[in-house]
Amino acid sequence: MKVLVIGAGAREHALSWRIAASPRVSKVFCAPGNPGIAEVAELLPIAPTAIKELLQAVIDNGIDLTVVGPEVALEAGVVDLFEANGKVIVGPTKAAALLESSKAFAKEIMLEAGVPTASHHVFSECRALERHCAEVGAPLVLKADGLAAGKGVFVIERAADFPAAIEALFGALRAERVVVEEFLSGVEVSCIFASNGTELIPLAPAHDYKRLCDNDLGPNTGGMGSVCPSPRIDEQELAWIQEHCANPILRVMRARGAPFKGFLYAGMMVPAGLEGRPDGIRVLEYNTRLGDPECQAILVRLESDPIELFEWMAGVRAERPKLVWRKQVSTCVVIASDGYPEQPVKGGQITGLELAALVPGAVVFHAATTLDARGNLVSNGGRTLTIVGLGADSDSARSAAYKAVDLVQLRGRRVRRDIGIGA
């Protein structure tokens, strides 16, 4: 079997790496990929949004199965085009992917489905938003309605921070609409479910660390690290989340004529203490693909063949697959470039990956990397690398990850040192 992975980040490196290990797979392609992915897959120089070129590549190379990584490809309608041409692909249609590409739409669906979530208002005009923020006051959460690569969420804890956030939303982020939500306290958990349109299979829960700096300080990012399984919820709470926060979404999307097939990522806010559980659990947002960096932490623990899961999700396998997980836990640490997330510096040389890969229990995934004119590996964006450590417990997983991280050299790099501490 030949498999194509669409995307170029660490999530796609983890997907390509895990798929390449399947005994059923003869060759992996990745479009466009990166230098790390090139070690396990043939790279195709096609952008994730160039969906007609991607379809032609599948035809030309006799590719049997495609797995979509980034949300931009879903918003571009890659699944719709592939399915219209009889090609097997894992991911939701453009209509179903609106759950991520429009936060206002997601809120509408949540209300219709009876999913517990924060109260909200939607604004399309700057002055109206300013008046609302002045009247309600902090704390509030402001979100760009559309895709923003993990940078469109502003948690405002002081009223003095409203003007800068509003300016960024309607300015640099060019948001057409802004969703304003009540502030929820607690701890966040990422619950990702695989769906074939009618059923769900939960993946091992994870949680990520969105703030740039230790102790959850600094600006929001796409994610600076993750752990799996998350100790923040138990199996009973995961089952409650599936019943109250995921299954209802599938029912409503089917009723609307846009059945959801793919990865449904429910970002949850969970009460920090045992009081208020599970009824106090709330959905923050939905994503319609695997999270990054959660995907990396999850996939290194997946022991069963992912191809069976992908075929079931795509509707070409009737039998429900059983997922088998390693008993080890994982800790994923992001190495970001200097200046991330505001103005990441590109072109910094990266060294030490060969040594990092030798650390027992460590797995290195490339994100924003490329080769310069001399063939040197250099940074090519914000989150440059992710390194996952596997261990019998959280301490040994953290130790493996950070031992490998400390062997990687990149001038001005940004790394959180508290991933996994205290869960």
Side-chain angles (χ1 to χ4, degrees):
M1 171 183 286
K2 296 179 181 179
V3 180
L4 169 66
V5 175
I6 298 175
R11 168 182 50 214
E12 290 75 35
H13 191 175
L15 281 165
S16 300
W17 169 81
R18 188 60 190 85
I19 290 168
S22 169
R24 295 182 55 197
V25 174
S26 57
K27 188 169 186 178
V28 181
F29 296 83
C30 188
N34 61 45
I37 297 175
E39 297 175 5
V40 295
E42 179 180 332
L43 304 189
L44 303 175
I46 307 172
T49 53
I51 61 176
K52 291 182 180 179
E53 293 179 42
L54 289 168
L55 175 62
Q56 192 59 50
V58 165
I59 295 170
D60 293 343
N61 291 283
I63 292 170
D64 305 290
L65 171 70
T66 299
V67 181
V68 183
E71 59 272 27
V72 291
L74 300 172
E75 187 183 39
V78 66
V79 173
D80 307 67
L81 180 64
F82 274 46
E83 290 185 342
N85 286 271
K87 301 304 177 184
V88 180
I89 186 167
V90 177
T93 62
K94 184 173 182 177
L98 270 175
L99 283 169
E100 176 170 7
S101 57
S102 172
K103 289 180 173 59
F105 174 80
K107 282 292 190 179
E108 178 186 320
I109 296 297
M110 282 188 253
L111 289 177
E112 184 176 337
V115 168
T117 187
S119 62
H120 78 288
H121 295 82
V122 180
F123 296 89
S124 57
E125 199 272 322
C126 183
R127 290 183 181 178
L129 174 58
E130 289 172 342
R131 287 194 298 270
H132 177 80
C133 292
E135 290 171 3
V136 176
L140 281 177
V141 180
L142 279 57
K143 299 180 178 180
D145 178 53
L147 299 178
K151 301 169 188 173
V153 178
F154 296 83
V155 180
I156 306 301
E157 298 178 3
R158 302 181 308 131
D161 294 331
F162 279 127
I166 294 171
E167 181 180 355
L169 285 161
F170 283 111
L173 291 171
R174 299 179 181 178
E176 294 183 3
R177 294 188 294 178
V178 173
V179 177
V180 181
E181 296 182 349
E182 67 170 314
F183 175 82
L184 299 176
S185 61
V187 293
E188 294 188 33
V189 181
S190 304
C191 297
I192 303 176
F193 301 90
S195 173
N196 67 351
T198 57
E199 296 182 80
L200 293 170
I201 298 176
L203 304 188
H207 68 259
D208 71 338
Y209 297 76
K210 291 185 173 62
R211 298 282 189 167
L212 178 68
C213 305
D214 288 8
N215 301 314
D216 286 330
L217 299 176
N220 268 330
T221 71
M224 295 299 293
S226 58
V227 299
C228 180
S230 174
R232 293 177 175 178
I233 60 170
D234 58 28
E235 290 184 7
Q236 289 73 28
E237 288 165 338
L238 178 59
W240 187 93
I241 290 168
Q242 178 173 337
E243 179 60 28
H244 292 85
C245 306
N247 286 336
I249 297 297
L250 254 62
R251 290 195 292 269
V252 170
M253 294 302 288
R254 281 201 310 273
R256 286 191 171 214
F260 189 94
K261 294 192 299 181
F263 289 107
L264 180 64
Y265 171 131
M268 312 299 303
M269 182 65 78
V270 179
L274 294 179
E275 262 186 60
R277 297 195 188 191
D279 292 342
I281 295 174
R282 296 288 183 268
V283 175
L284 294 173
E285 64 180 7
Y286 291 108
N287 293 328
T288 57
R289 36 72 191 181
L290 287 166
D292 182 344
E294 294 97 330
C295 171
Q296 296 89 290
I298 292 169
L299 284 187
V300 296
R301 297 189 58 245
L302 181 62
E303 194 168 329
S304 50
D305 192 338
I307 297 301
E308 294 181 356
L309 177 66
F310 295 149
E311 289 178 330
W312 177 82
M313 295 169 69
V316 295
R317 174 189 168 93
E319 184 181 355
R320 181 185 174 96
K322 179 176 175 56
L323 302 186
V324 179
W325 301 97
R326 299 182 190 278
K327 293 181 180 179
Q328 295 165 300
V329 301
S330 62
T331 299
C332 175
V333 180
V334 170
I335 299 177
S337 298
D338 190 14
Y340 179 75
E342 296 89 355
Q343 294 181 318
V345 175
K346 297 183 180 181
Q349 187 170 349
I350 303 166
T351 60
L353 292 188
E354 298 84 356
L355 293 174
L358 294 176
V359 173
V363 185
V364 178
F365 295 119
H366 290 230
T369 66
T370 190
L371 300 177
D372 65 14
R374 297 183 178 181
N376 297 314
L377 185 70
V378 297
S379 62
N380 192 39
R383 294 186 296 169
T384 304
L385 299 158
T386 61
I387 296 181
V388 182
L390 273 171
D393 52 36
S394 59
D395 287 342
S396 56
R398 287 189 71 255
S399 176
Y402 280 108
K403 279 182 183 177
V405 165
D406 290 339
L407 291 169
V408 177
Q409 301 299 311
L410 171 62
R411 178 177 291 183
R413 71 182 197 165
R414 297 187 172 186
V415 175
R416 278 187 64 156
R417 308 299 305 189
D418 63 344
I419 305 301
I421 292 179

